[in-house]
């Protein structure tokens, strides 16, 4: 029984980490700027804060899916929903133009833009997780 529990833990944990890695890849495609360049080459704190918030925003509903799912397949479905919701909101948030352009704030390195993006991502994650707690 103990071995089965560890195997289940490993399966769910590795899958959750895999979902986060896939999210990191897709998130970079969804945003109109190069997150990795901004963070690792340009040392852009705003991009790092926003990106970190998106990771936390995904991890919250992933946690909810892990504790609420009745099977591995159920977890996969809810993990996909969590990732999709975060990516949609990231797409919308970074595509807004004009006076409320998060893209401009992030690419300009404005910390306020990164903080706003992080908190919106975390808020969406919390709402997403709460909605999964049927």
């Amino acid at each position: 029984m103990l071995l089965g529990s560890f195997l289940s833990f490993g399966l769910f944990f590795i899958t959750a980490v895999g979902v986060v890695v896939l999210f990191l890849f897709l998130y970079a495609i969804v945003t109109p700027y190069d997150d990795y360049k901004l963070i690792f080459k340009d040392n852009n704190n705003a991009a790092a804060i926003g990106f970190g918030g998106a990771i936390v925003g995904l991890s919250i509903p992933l946690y909810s899916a892990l504790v609420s799912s009745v099977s591995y397949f159920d977890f996969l479905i809810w993990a996909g929903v969590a990732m999709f919701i975060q990516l949609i909101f990231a797409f919308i948030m970074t595509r807004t133009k004009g006076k409320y352009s998060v893209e401009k704030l992030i690419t300009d390195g404005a910390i306020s833009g990164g903080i706003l993006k992080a908190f919106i991502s975390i808020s969406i994650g919390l709402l997403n997780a709460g909605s999964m707690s049927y």
Side-chain angles (χ1 to χ4, degrees), residues 97-125:
K97 300 294 181 195
K99 182 170 141 177
Y100 301 107
S101 175
V102 172
E103 176 189 7
K104 182 169 177 9
L105 290 171
I106 298 290
T107 56
D108 289 349
I111 299 295
S112 61
I115 292 170
L116 175 65
K117 187 173 174 214
F119 280 117
I120 289 173
S121 295
I122 292 167
S123 296
I124 294 302

Side-chain angles (χ1 to χ4, degrees), residues 1-85:
M1 185 167 130
L2 186 61
L3 179 62
S5 295
F6 279 117
L7 291 175
S8 290
F9 164 81
L11 178 64
F12 280 83
F13 182 77
I14 289 169
T15 302
V17 170
V19 169
V20 172
V21 170
L22 178 60
F23 176 77
L24 296 175
F25 174 75
L26 294 174
Y27 187 86
I29 292 171
V30 165
T31 57
Y33 44 81
D34 186 344
D35 292 284
Y36 295 104
K37 178 186 174 293
L38 289 173
I39 295 167
F40 295 107
K41 186 175 180 193
D42 299 343
N43 197 29
N44 184 316
N45 291 327
I49 292 167
F51 197 53
I55 295 167
V56 173
L58 173 67
S59 296
I60 294 167
L62 274 183
Y63 169 80
S64 181
L66 283 165
V67 299
S68 299
S69 295
V70 295
S71 68
Y72 180 72
F73 183 69
D74 188 43
F75 167 68
L76 284 177
I77 291 170
W78 288 113
V81 169
M83 187 168 44
F84 179 74
I85 297 293

